[in-house]
Amino acid sequence: MNETGRPQDVPLSNPRADRVRKVAQLAGRPARLKRREFLAEGPQAVREALALHQKRIAAGQPGIVYEVYASESCLDRHPDLETLAEGTTAYLATDEVLAAMADTVTPQGILAVCGFLDVSLDQVLDAGPRLVAVLCEVRDPGNAGTVLRAADAAGADAVVLTASSVDIYNPKAVRSTAGSLFHLPVVLGADVGEVAARCKDRGIGVLAADGQGQLNLDRLQDQNAARRLGAASSVSEYALESPTAWLFGNEAQGLSDEELALADHRVAVPVYGAAESLNLGTAATVCLYASARSQQDGGTPQTRSDS
């Protein structure tokens, strides 16, 4: 940054420069894996990345934002980003350079090169999670990002992706999280059998979201509400306020028979209209919010720790 708070006075203007090509390579998985870096594009994603970066620096931890590239017009529209970017390696860049760097057709004027954020399953379980979303063979980056965003909104403690799921650092996946990637721990490359077994060992119930499930999510919520209100002879088939890991399956096939067998219960979200089923993002949102609401009502509010 210069004395005015802006990066260098002359913006980067050559879209074929080595620096520009190096950033653009992060749109591809080989470069991301080799360098353990990814792109956050747009004001919202960069804002959340910088906020986490500054929080980690203040706590004496390594930062996660390595470089920021922004147009002057973007900084004029979002002056808070200048403040957040203080102390980072930041550059002004022309729209042409940003277009060459970005994965989007229409760049939003700012992007950041960030370090990988994923944590181990041990770190998640040692923190005593109460709500976890497990994505099993979820292949679409938009769907994965949507579920992660829903998990964040529901106050979940972590999201786990199996080894055969999409790369969450895919630019489309990162954009789909709308900044939530920087809010909660994410585990990558997990074995769903190990996840389920270790959750059960720690007293975390495992529920499979399944349209043919024997338990009805609405009925579960009614049962839990009645039990909390002390209704006589009230029985709950599963205590939704309990620590829970939800398994969500592939967009086309859902959960496999082997994955379903790992769960304590298979739970269906009821469909009252003519639709054949709910899409992955909607079903995951409904399930996670059912658990979150029961945990809040049951006196066990989420106390998620930052990654």
Side-chain angles (χ1 to χ4, degrees):
M1 293 280 187
N2 61 25
E3 293 180 358
T4 65
R6 284 283 165 93
Q8 83 290 355
D9 294 326
V10 180
L12 300 174
S13 59
N14 182 3
R16 291 173 293 278
D18 288 343
R19 179 187 298 277
V20 177
R21 287 201 298 268
K22 185 177 179 182
V23 173
Q25 287 171 354
L26 293 174
R29 193 162 187 261
R32 292 197 298 269
L33 291 177
K34 181 179 180 179
R35 290 154 50 185
R36 291 190 59 79
E37 297 174 353
F38 69 101
L39 291 179
E41 302 179 36
Q44 178 63 20
V46 173
R47 181 178 291 110
E48 300 306 324
L50 287 169
L52 177 58
H53 175 87
Q54 299 293 4
K55 188 171 186 177
R56 289 172 64 95
I57 293 295
Q61 300 172 335
I64 56 100
V65 176
Y66 300 151
E67 297 171 343
V68 178
Y69 298 88
S71 67
E72 291 195 79
S73 60
C74 178
L75 295 180
D76 288 339
R77 292 192 304 272
H78 304 280
D80 62 308
L81 293 173
E82 258 183 71
T83 303
L84 284 170
E86 289 179 1
T88 66
T89 302
Y91 301 90
L92 283 176
T94 64
D95 290 337
E96 188 178 15
V97 164
L98 289 168
M101 290 178 169
D103 177 70
T104 52
V105 175
T106 306
Q108 300 179 58
I110 190 167
L111 59 82
V113 176
C114 304
F116 278 11
L117 300 165
D118 49 287
V119 301
S120 68
L121 183 60
D122 283 337
Q123 288 174 273
V124 166
L125 294 178
D126 288 347
R130 297 198 58 80
L131 184 57
V132 177
V134 183
L135 279 62
C136 305
E137 298 191 33
V138 173
R139 307 287 174 78
D140 182 80
N143 284 336
T146 297
V147 175
L148 196 151
R149 185 178 181 183
D152 179 27
D157 296 290
V159 172
V160 177
L161 289 90
T162 63
S164 50
S165 290
V166 69
D167 177 8
I168 197 64
Y169 297 125
N170 176 299
K172 183 178 179 181
V174 175
R175 289 195 299 273
S176 296
T177 72
S180 288
L181 177 61
F182 302 100
H183 295 168
L184 75 171
V186 176
V187 178
L188 302 180
D191 177 83
V192 65
E194 179 188 2
V195 173
R198 294 185 63 186
C199 283
K200 292 177 183 179
D201 287 345
R202 296 185 181 233
I204 301 171
V206 178
L207 299 182
D210 174 31
Q212 306 303 316
Q214 73 275 30
L215 299 188
N216 178 296
L217 185 60
D218 279 1
R219 188 169 67 244
L220 279 183
Q221 293 184 90
D222 291 343
Q223 292 171 351
N224 279 270
R227 183 168 49 80
R228 285 194 300 272
L229 292 173
S233 303
S234 60
V235 177
S236 178
E237 295 167 284
Y238 179 82
L240 281 174
E241 69 269 24
S242 302
T244 299
W246 279 96
L247 305 184
F248 302 111
N250 175 272
E251 298 88 346
Q253 287 81 35
L255 292 164
S256 68
D257 291 341
E258 292 78 10
E259 290 162 345
L260 290 170
L262 298 170
D264 297 312
H265 301 284
R266 295 162 54 181
V267 182
V269 177
V271 176
Y272 297 112
E276 180 183 0
S277 63
L278 297 174
N279 65 27
L280 172 62
T282 303
T285 301
V286 172
C287 293
L288 291 167
Y289 263 88
S291 287
R293 175 63 186 272
S294 293
Q295 290 177 353
Q296 295 288 337
D297 288 349
T300 55
Q302 298 297 85
T303 56
R304 184 174 74 207
S305 59
D306 294 318
S307 58

